[in-house]
Amino acid sequence: MRKWWVCAITTTPLSSLCSNRQCVLRPLLEPPAKEARSPVFSHLASSLQGRWTIRAFKAQQRFQELFDAHQDLHSEAWSLFLTTSQWFALCLDAICAVFVIGVAFGSLFLAETLNVGQVGLVLSLTLTFMVMVPRCVRQSAEAETMMISVERVTEYRDLGKEALWRYRYRPPPSWPHEGLIILRDVSFGYSSDGPLVLKDLISSIPPRSKVGIVGRTGAGKSSLVSALFRLPEPNGIIQIDGIWTRNIGLYYLRKNMSVVPQVGIAEHSLVVFS
């Protein structure tokens, strides 16, 4: 009779804790605060890099409203995360308090079958249970919340792979020897479900010539270079000295071309080194 009484008292709050943990922890496992944090920093970084363009087009008010919208979304998500955490702690304390009260009244009902030492031992273990179980549940909740970062890393395994590094066809060793670039209906985007940065681009660059591409921030200047290097695979025809870039491997394509990155830092040396 005593064993069944102890099992009933201990099993009921533990099952309540597990069910409460599942319904309360579900918002904590995927906190929207982390997802809403990235747009704030990305918008701030892009605004700082293109502040001259923003001032030139007098778009300060529009960018400020966009930043306020991102900040409000992050604040709402973070407030929801904090409120849910406090509610989870309150539910744990309430369940433990109900458990202690149930054990105390159960000891009164079973006073004829239990002696004073056994009642004291049960109450002592109950108080220890009240301290340790909420701590263990909170630690497991934080561990599962931190595992979201691991889940995001594992998502990179499902990304689409690049083209083959080497094909059977190899360009001549002197390729590209002239530098004639022909673009026909080139469309380029950084993701399959995202908007296109370059749309049906048609152009040709004469051999051994220097061409400057001018445009505002986000016009697609760097995206054109990414399309030439096939960082994301572009759509359309890109020919360099009569060879379609899609017909050669990425190794020979990227090995025979070079690019100077956009760096806004001038070193303390000659201009040619900067």
Side-chain angles (χ1 to χ4, degrees), residues 1-10:
M1 182 65 182
R2 296 177 184 177
K3 295 181 179 180
W4 287 105
W5 173 73
V6 174
C7 292
I9 290 180
T10 54

Side-chain angles (χ1 to χ4, degrees), residues 69-91:
H70 290 313
Q71 182 65 28
D72 292 341
L73 182 61
H74 174 261
S75 299
E76 292 173 1
W78 185 250
S79 299
L80 179 62
F81 174 72
L82 294 179
T83 305
T84 308
S85 301
Q86 296 299 324
W87 174 253
F88 179 52
L90 180 62
C91 291

Side-chain angles (χ1 to χ4, degrees), residues 177-248:
H177 53 278
E178 293 291 337
L180 174 62
I181 301 177
I182 298 176
L183 307 174
R184 297 178 183 174
D185 299 328
V186 176
S187 299
F188 178 80
Y190 289 96
S191 60
S192 58
D193 55 349
L196 294 176
V197 182
L198 302 177
K199 300 179 182 179
D200 300 331
L201 181 62
I202 300 176
S203 179
S204 62
I205 300 178
R208 302 182 183 275
S209 62
K210 297 180 180 179
V211 178
I213 302 175
V214 182
R216 61 179 179 85
T217 302
K221 303 183 297 296
S222 301
S223 300
L224 181 58
V225 178
S226 301
L228 292 176
F229 280 86
R230 295 171 58 190
L231 298 180
E233 198 69 32
N235 297 323
I237 297 176
I238 301 178
Q239 290 183 350
I240 301 178
D241 285 346
I243 296 179
W244 193 5
T245 57
R246 186 171 291 185
N247 293 336
I248 60 177

Side-chain angles (χ1 to χ4, degrees), residues 6-59:
V6 174
C7 292
I9 290 180
T10 54
T11 305
T12 302
L14 287 177
S15 60
S16 301
L17 280 174
C18 293
S19 60
N20 186 31
R21 181 170 174 270
Q22 291 296 328
C23 63
V24 178
L25 261 184
R26 190 168 297 275
L28 295 178
L29 294 180
E30 296 180 358
K34 293 184 178 181
E35 298 180 358
R37 187 186 305 169
S38 299
V40 177
F41 292 104
S42 62
H43 178 75
L44 181 60
S46 61
S47 299
L48 291 177
Q49 293 178 358
R51 57 185 181 272
W52 295 284
T53 306
I54 295 174
R55 293 172 182 173
F57 286 89
K58 297 181 180 180

